[in-house]
Amino acid sequence: MTDTTIKSVFGRRIWDSRGRPTVEVDIRLGCGATGRAIAPAGASMGSGEAVDLRDGGPTFGGLDVRRAVSAVNDEISARLIGLDADNQEEVDQAMITLDGTPNRNRLGGNAIVATSMAVLQARAAADKVPLWQYLAQDDDIRMPLPEIQIFGGGAHAAQRVDIQDFMIMCPGATSFSEALDWTAEVYRTAGLLMKERGCLQGVADEGGYWPAFRSNEEVLDSLVISIERAGFKPGVDIGLSLDVAASEFEEDGFYTLALGNKRYDTDEWIEILGKWLKTYPILSVEDPLAENDTEGFKTFTRMFGAECQVIGDDFLVTNAKRVTKAAADNALTAVLIKPNQAGTITETHKALEAGKSTGLGTIVSARSGESEDVIIAHLATGWDAGQLKVGSFARSERMAKWNECLRIEEALGSKARFAGRDGLVFAENSAKIKMGG
Ligand code: 2PG
Ligand code: MG
């Protein structure tokens, strides 16, 4: 019998993709297997998320994580040594109880999620198989439909435009690798377009082009032009996907656009989104309304849920109870799954299962602050999420995940099925979902 007892837990401070401190954890098991994981970090965050423990004070803008690293090396290590990594739920529950707060602010969401992910990695390593394979066991799995950012915005680009992520999806592709090929052409073409217009100003936090535009609509137009110029049919081969991240510009029930300098109530804002849905081939919209605007979510889904996938991110914060409730309310059609929002692997998996069992689409997602850690590529495939959101098609913290998926697709060989358009979940069986077919 393989000895999967946790023998050592070690935390260190390293640096994330924004040059900010973050927590890395190494786990070693009795059999000698090891696992490593790095905590990601968000910029636009839901108020119900597990929170990172940051040191405050003058260094690194108050973002240092020395206390979180100490929590790993002292309290968490003492509690976990001797537990069996085979029982992930017991390990995660031990950390939740030890922390004792509803939002992990004592030991730190960053300390706990990195430890939880590292334990899972070590457990898979004990079986000498890649993580995706350990998670899938004998289940049928699919390569996820990727959602890839072309232009950044919102909190990731100093609010230059209001919408946070302008992305594409390639449900018309026949494989994961073909979807990446198509995206590479669109991303390259978008760069050329920006250069031609004299507005190529580098990239935003997730590698998408910096949005030096005059309006949200101008970004949408540029996205469609880039798809066409790259040789694809918008709305047939490739569709658009938006993360509105509306909590970032909502206050007291009003949505205020920085560029238009205008304020809208929920119904007026939904009307604007509706116009965009009519004008552009949009397949998916994340957080169209603010996290506390449940009625707005319901109205939006009732009006447009059959035309586009409606994803909850800040609204659901990868919380199984919220997912189940929102599904029962018909407030959306899909849920974003981020391990560091939930806090542990066990809670993340429960949120994903809550989504699947209530018929929602599931999208495993990176954060805007990332690293070389590729665990989400394994979770998206091994748990058969159907969709994966990583950021753009540039910068190694993003490409590492896409490239890991290519290796998984290769390892699956002839068994590699692409989720493609089936990964997307609309409110009803809509015509749009047939695009590319
Ligand atoms: C999101 C993510 C990724 P952040 O809102 O979905 O785009 O951003 O990590 O800043 O929350
Ligand atoms: Mg989001």
Side-chain angles (χ1 to χ4, degrees):
M1 266 272 292
T2 316
D3 181 4
T4 50
T5 315
I6 298 174
K7 290 292 178 198
S8 81
V9 179
F10 180 72
R12 68 173 67 80
R13 188 189 73 173
I14 61 162
W15 301 92
D16 76 8
S17 57
R18 283 191 275 241
R20 296 175 184 172
T22 191
V23 181
E24 175 171 88
V25 175
D26 287 349
I27 298 285
R28 191 171 47 79
L29 307 183
C31 60
T34 59
R36 170 174 291 171
I38 303 171
S44 65
M45 289 179 281
S47 59
E49 295 192 16
V51 299
D52 289 345
L53 183 61
R54 302 278 179 182
D55 296 350
T59 47
F60 315 129
L63 296 174
D64 211 348
V65 293
R66 289 189 188 275
R67 287 193 294 150
V69 169
S70 299
V72 174
N73 290 326
D74 301 336
E75 283 192 64
I76 293 177
S77 165
R79 180 68 186 85
L80 296 197
I81 288 173
L83 294 188
D84 190 347
D86 197 44
N87 193 341
Q88 181 84 36
E89 185 154 6
E90 188 193 8
V91 171
D92 289 342
Q93 193 52 53
M95 287 192 282
I96 294 167
T97 310
L98 185 67
D99 174 76
T101 69
N103 66 354
R104 316 289 148 84
N105 70 22
R106 194 179 77 78
L107 298 172
N110 41 1
I112 293 173
V113 79
T115 308
S116 177
M117 297 191 303
V119 168
L120 179 66
Q121 291 282 17
R123 177 61 193 86
D127 277 5
K128 299 190 173 61
V129 293
L131 180 56
W132 66 266
Q133 205 176 325
Y134 170 74
L135 293 171
Q137 297 292 330
D138 293 326
D139 290 352
D140 255 5
I141 59 170
R142 298 164 301 166
M143 291 306 296
L145 174 67
E147 199 186 355
I148 308 185
Q149 191 193 64
I150 305 297
F151 299 105
H156 303 164
Q159 257 77 33
R160 182 67 186 79
V161 291
D162 306 282
I163 307 308
Q164 180 182 284
D165 298 320
F166 295 88
M167 298 170 285
I168 59 168
M169 286 175 144
C170 305
T174 54
S175 65
F176 181 86
S177 48
E178 188 175 47
L180 291 197
D181 289 358
W182 291 10
T183 304
E185 293 290 19
V186 175
Y187 186 75
R188 193 176 63 86
T189 309
L192 293 173
L193 184 73
M194 299 294 273
K195 196 171 170 199
E196 186 185 298
R197 293 180 176 177
C199 54
L200 186 60
Q201 296 178 9
V203 297
D205 278 10
E206 298 190 9
Y209 293 109
W210 185 266
F213 295 104
R214 284 181 301 269
S215 67
N216 294 299
E217 288 82 356
E218 204 184 321
V219 195
L220 292 164
D221 287 331
S222 303
L223 204 42
V224 173
I225 294 169
S226 302
I227 293 170
E228 279 165 353
R229 282 206 194 168
F232 301 100
K233 289 198 185 75
V236 178
D237 304 316
I238 301 180
L240 310 190
S241 169
L242 304 180
D243 182 0
V244 177
S247 299
E248 293 292 310
F249 53 91
E250 181 268 353
E251 214 184 330
D252 301 329
F254 287 94
Y255 296 84
T256 307
L257 299 188
L259 291 170
N261 208 9
K262 275 194 194 132
R263 240 161 81 98
Y264 303 98
D265 68 17
T266 296
D267 289 340
E268 291 165 340
W269 176 235
I270 290 178
E271 209 180 302
I272 292 179
L273 292 172
K275 275 189 196 139
W276 291 353
L277 284 165
K278 266 208 187 74
T279 317
Y280 304 101
I282 296 170
L283 281 176
S284 183
V285 183
E286 179 180 326
D287 283 347
L289 287 308
E291 62 171 46
N292 48 11
D293 195 350
T294 307
E295 287 310 312
F297 261 94
K298 285 193 214 168
T299 308
F300 183 80
T301 302
R302 193 174 57 244
M303 290 173 72
F304 304 113
E307 283 177 45
C308 68
Q309 174 174 258
V310 185
I311 309 176
D313 171 19
D314 296 347
F315 181 47
L316 302 180
V317 290
T318 317
N319 176 300
K321 274 196 190 134
R322 291 196 193 197
V323 174
T324 308
K325 168 93 174 59
D329 285 349
N330 291 317
L332 34 65
T333 69
V335 51
L336 208 72
I337 300 291
K338 292 168 164 171
N340 78 327
Q341 269 185 339
T344 58
I345 281 294
T346 302
E347 291 160 294
T348 307
H349 190 233
K350 283 187 177 158
L352 179 119
E353 285 303 316
K356 281 191 183 182
S357 66
T358 50
L360 300 180
T362 52
I363 306 101
V364 171
S365 171
R367 300 307 306 245
S368 49
E370 271 293 335
S371 69
E372 64 270 34
D373 192 316
V374 295
I375 192 167
I376 59 164
H378 290 262
L379 300 181
T381 44
W383 283 344
D384 191 23
Q387 298 174 70
L388 175 64
K389 177 185 177 192
V390 164
S392 194
F393 209 66
R395 299 176 44 141
S396 289
E397 82 277 6
R398 312 290 150 188
M399 303 316 292
K401 278 88 163 163
W402 301 131
N403 290 338
E404 187 72 356
C405 283
L406 289 178
R407 296 180 194 107
I408 296 171
E409 185 179 48
E410 182 187 280
L412 281 166
S414 59
K415 280 168 59 191
R417 280 192 306 127
F418 179 45
R421 70 187 72 89
D422 295 340
L424 284 161
V425 175
F426 291 60
E428 290 154 34
N429 222 1
S430 100
K432 251 193 182 172
I433 212 155
K434 299 200 180 77
M435 72 175 263

